[in-house]
Amino acid sequence: MLVRAHYLPAFSRLGNYDRSLLDTAAWGRKSERRLFEYWAHEASLLPLALHPLLRWRMARAESGTAGWKSMRAFAGERRPEAEAILARIRAEGPLAASDFEEGKSSTGWWAWGATKHALEWLFWAGHITTATRRRSFERVYDLTERVIPHRILSLPTPPEADAHRALIELAARAHGIGTTTDLRDYFRQKPEDASRAVAELAEQGVLIPVAVKGWTYKAWLHRDARRPRRLEAAALLAPFDPLVWERDRTERLFDFRYRIEIYTPAEKRIHGYYVLPFLLDDRLVARVDLKADRQTSRLLAHRVTLEPGAPAETVERLTLELRRMADWLALDQVVLGPVA
């Protein structure tokens, strides 16, 4: 509809950047890698330095205690099937699910066949990772040691408790203020793991307890959190942007109830098909239903919905941001639809 979602968070923060730089960092030659694919709050592109901090999740998948239920059998009774697939990748080089005879089921987007489930278990368990992406964006897998640089794989694996503390601290740095639930959702840690890590970081003085008016849960602030005198920002946010990913937090912080409606029948949609929130300074002030019409070289803003109390300059600032996005996507024209 617009652009592949993984490109958008960087655009929101950097503006017009060369997407090929992200492609190279994520899927370039081994010496060029800066990112790897793995599970954070969802499938994510992560800095290589985080690899050791997520090996506990790989170990749990290896033992059959993590990952989707549909793939856990490959850690046990169906392991020979996964081992055979791994052996073929080892012998032949990078392969996608569609390279196997059974491949991906044709009955639907997420109706995976057995091979895809086995590949995803191998991915969760860290045996393989994404070597590249095909034009269709299909994931192509290879042995982890052939993709991720040795300097990263040779880093020591921290004790699991240390890894959980480090991940919670990273989440706190990213969030500013957040509840324990907010912080643990950033890397999808289990409640017991996150609660223990939060308590230990609080005891060390790394996390400071704070009260937020209207919140019923205790919140936390990283001791090094920056507190600017004012915020000046204008950004269109992807539906999967970390700022708005945890919808309850978005509603608590911004009084902004946000749901993605791509799976909602057209007649039941409230705001549109692919709707991006618009951040203006420290508020979410509007949402815009966007489509990149590449045949006519137009960025179509089908509908703009202003939030109650949106500043008078919202539409003007939004239009500027849409023009910036159109330039980034190499589209000639911005077409602004109804504003309500």
Side-chain angles (χ1 to χ4, degrees):
M1 287 297 292
L2 185 64
V3 66
R4 291 203 180 275
H6 65 281
Y7 292 123
L8 281 167
F11 171 76
S12 299
R13 290 150 180 79
L14 303 175
N16 193 338
Y17 75 97
D18 183 351
R19 280 171 281 162
S20 69
L21 296 174
L22 185 56
D23 293 339
T24 299
W27 303 297
R29 293 192 298 269
K30 192 173 181 177
S31 61
E32 300 172 316
R33 296 271 172 150
R34 299 293 181 269
L35 304 170
F36 74 106
E37 285 192 46
Y38 198 61
W39 292 94
H41 56 267
E42 277 296 330
S44 302
L45 291 171
L46 302 165
L48 286 173
L50 291 190
H51 190 275
L53 298 182
L54 291 164
R55 290 176 190 163
W56 60 270
R57 179 167 286 156
M58 299 174 193
R60 290 187 185 183
E62 169 72 22
S63 66
T65 58
W68 298 312
K69 290 182 180 179
S70 59
M71 68 175 65
R72 293 184 184 183
F74 293 99
E77 66 268 22
R78 300 186 68 177
R79 193 180 187 100
E81 297 174 53
E83 293 285 0
I85 290 170
L86 186 62
R88 183 172 166 186
I89 293 174
R90 184 177 291 113
E92 298 181 23
L95 295 171
S98 60
D99 293 321
F100 294 82
E101 288 184 9
E102 185 267 342
K104 185 176 177 181
S105 171
S106 60
T107 57
W109 232 15
W110 301 111
W112 290 351
T115 297
K116 178 62 175 176
H117 281 293
L119 285 166
E120 284 301 302
W121 174 75
L122 290 166
F123 178 84
W124 271 83
H127 298 296
I128 60 177
T129 189
T130 308
T132 189
R133 292 275 187 165
R134 290 187 174 163
R135 188 176 182 85
S136 63
F137 208 59
E138 183 182 19
R139 184 181 278 160
V140 180
Y141 305 88
D142 199 0
L143 301 181
T144 299
E145 59 266 29
R146 294 201 295 227
V147 175
I148 294 181
H150 175 72
R151 63 182 172 81
I152 299 298
L153 296 182
S154 62
L155 292 172
T157 301
E160 189 171 317
D162 291 353
H164 282 296
R165 282 194 299 273
L167 292 173
I168 287 293
E169 183 173 358
L170 284 169
R173 288 180 179 275
H175 275 70
I177 290 174
T179 66
T180 298
T181 299
D182 295 336
L183 300 184
R184 78 173 181 83
D185 187 71
Y186 201 61
F187 288 101
R188 287 293 171 88
Q189 292 160 273
K190 297 291 185 183
E192 59 273 20
D193 297 325
S195 296
R196 188 181 307 113
V198 166
E200 292 167 353
L201 290 169
E203 186 176 349
Q204 296 168 12
V206 176
L207 295 184
I208 301 169
V210 294
V212 179
K213 185 177 180 180
W215 289 21
T216 57
Y217 298 101
K218 181 186 292 185
W220 302 96
L221 181 72
H222 194 278
R223 65 185 175 191
D224 297 330
R226 293 176 58 230
R227 304 180 190 184
R229 292 183 179 180
R230 62 180 181 178
L231 292 172
E232 294 182 359
L236 289 159
L237 304 174
F240 315 103
D241 192 288
L243 183 64
V244 294
W245 168 256
E246 216 296 310
R247 307 302 199 218
D248 289 343
R249 180 174 185 269
T250 303
E251 197 161 346
R252 274 185 277 114
L253 276 180
F254 299 105
D255 193 24
F256 187 90
R257 189 178 190 279
Y258 181 48
R259 300 292 185 271
I260 189 167
E261 298 181 78
I262 59 176
Y263 304 113
T264 303
E267 67 276 8
K268 294 183 179 181
R269 290 179 195 138
I270 299 173
H271 300 291
Y273 180 79
Y274 197 69
V275 175
L276 275 63
F278 180 52
L279 176 74
L280 186 59
D281 299 333
D282 61 351
R283 296 171 56 192
L284 294 175
V285 298
R287 50 191 102 202
V288 53
D289 183 18
L290 286 177
K291 178 181 179 180
D293 186 343
R294 291 173 175 82
Q295 289 188 335
T296 62
S297 194
R298 298 183 302 168
L299 178 61
L300 306 177
H302 291 302
R303 184 193 314 175
V304 176
T305 306
L306 301 179
E307 289 297 291
E313 69 271 19
T314 296
V315 174
E316 179 183 358
R317 296 280 296 276
L318 173 61
T319 302
L320 289 172
E321 198 62 21
L322 290 171
R323 180 65 263 169
R324 188 175 291 116
M325 176 175 278
D327 291 342
W328 177 55
L329 298 177
L331 301 173
D332 294 331
Q333 187 179 359
V334 174
V335 178
L336 193 65
V339 178

